[in-house]
Amino acid sequence: MTSTSGPDDLLLPPGTCLVHIGPPKTATTALQGAFFTAKDAAMAQGVHYAGKTRHSAAAVLAGIGRPGFFSDDGAPSTERWQQLVSEIRSSPASRVVLSSEFFADADEEHIARVLTDLARPHVHVVVTLRPLVKIVPSHWQQSVQSSSRMAFDDWLHAMLDDDGDRSVNPAFWFRHRHDQLVARWASVAGQDNVTVVALDDKDHGMVLRTFERLTGMREGTLAP
């Protein structure tokens, strides 16, 4: 008996823009670095990693209506977002990948704008998730790197207690109530256009292989 392998059930159709929305602390930097390093090899296989740098942060912030980190006012310039959209929509590649954890900060209004702008003609949203027990200490460590002197126990009480001071990290639960994050994007994109990838901390290559399958690239194209 001979068997033939059928098409991969994860493979997205030609014309798709894969929008990876994070959230933060879910291998976003590693994934973006792998795609950016393999940009030429990916393009040779019909996959365009969008953006001129590893992470098109300023453009995405403008796309979701937030000013850049170094802006002096609250009105984001849309020029970089429009340039990124033009790059994606004019790409001759079969599939385009855009990855930014800042998409996790978008509300429904800006999600609708992002999905409309990036349709070429299809948009598929991918969410990568890790257990909160891994994410929470990582966020606290980042706050310390940003000059916070709050002890870990105090930070935990602020984040987890019913009467905790959420101003310590006001965006945390908007990003990391993962059920609500997925529901927010699925309500606009449609459930069939959202894939959730639950990461395996014992297999760091799993997320790279999953994105290879989603985009139809050869295994090993993306390397840590």
Side-chain angles (χ1 to χ4, degrees):
M1 178 183 294
T2 60
S3 62
T4 57
S5 59
D8 193 321
D9 58 359
L10 286 184
L11 181 61
L12 299 174
T16 296
C17 178
L18 186 164
V19 182
H20 173 223
I21 68 168
K25 308 301 181 185
T26 61
T28 52
T29 300
L31 187 63
Q32 291 157 5
F35 262 109
F36 191 68
T37 301
K39 192 166 185 175
D40 290 343
M43 192 65 181
Q45 299 174 62
V47 179
H48 177 176
Y49 183 67
K52 309 250 186 278
T53 59
R54 174 186 64 78
H55 181 197
S56 300
V60 171
L61 287 171
I64 63 172
R66 286 182 50 190
F69 294 115
F70 304 108
S71 175
D72 293 329
D73 58 50
S77 170
T78 60
E79 182 179 357
R80 288 188 178 182
W81 172 249
Q82 291 167 349
Q83 289 174 347
L84 185 62
V85 168
S86 178
E87 174 189 337
I88 290 170
R89 296 193 70 146
S90 63
S91 174
S94 292
R95 298 168 183 87
V96 177
V97 176
L98 175 61
S99 173
S100 175
E101 55 269 39
F102 293 140
F103 281 127
D105 292 339
D107 59 20
E108 284 87 346
E109 177 185 353
H110 289 101
I111 291 170
R113 174 191 174 182
V114 166
L115 297 181
T116 298
D117 284 352
L118 297 180
R120 57 177 305 273
H122 310 295
V123 183
H124 194 89
V125 178
V126 179
V127 190
T128 45
L129 296 182
R130 297 177 71 207
L132 280 173
V133 71
K134 302 285 188 179
I135 290 172
V136 166
S138 182
H139 267 281
W140 173 75
Q141 289 170 349
Q142 184 169 330
S143 74
V144 172
Q145 291 171 355
S146 301
S147 303
S148 170
R149 296 190 177 187
M150 179 175 282
F152 187 42
D153 282 352
D154 295 335
W155 194 91
L156 287 175
H157 284 296
M159 290 295 100
L160 301 176
D161 287 354
D162 289 340
D163 58 352
D165 181 7
R166 301 292 191 266
S167 65
V168 169
N169 190 331
F172 183 84
W173 288 116
F174 190 81
R175 298 167 175 168
H176 291 297
R177 271 297 303 265
H178 296 153
D179 55 335
Q180 295 178 3
L181 173 65
V182 173
R184 201 155 51 239
W185 282 82
S187 69
V188 182
Q191 292 184 16
D192 291 342
N193 297 315
V194 178
T195 294
V196 176
V197 181
L199 304 188
D200 182 355
D201 282 337
K202 295 180 180 179
D203 181 2
H204 295 292
M206 171 263 196
V207 66
L208 301 182
R209 294 195 301 273
T210 300
F211 273 77
E212 288 168 343
R213 291 176 60 193
L214 286 163
T215 56
M217 293 193 299
R218 294 187 299 273
E219 183 174 339
T221 302
L222 300 178

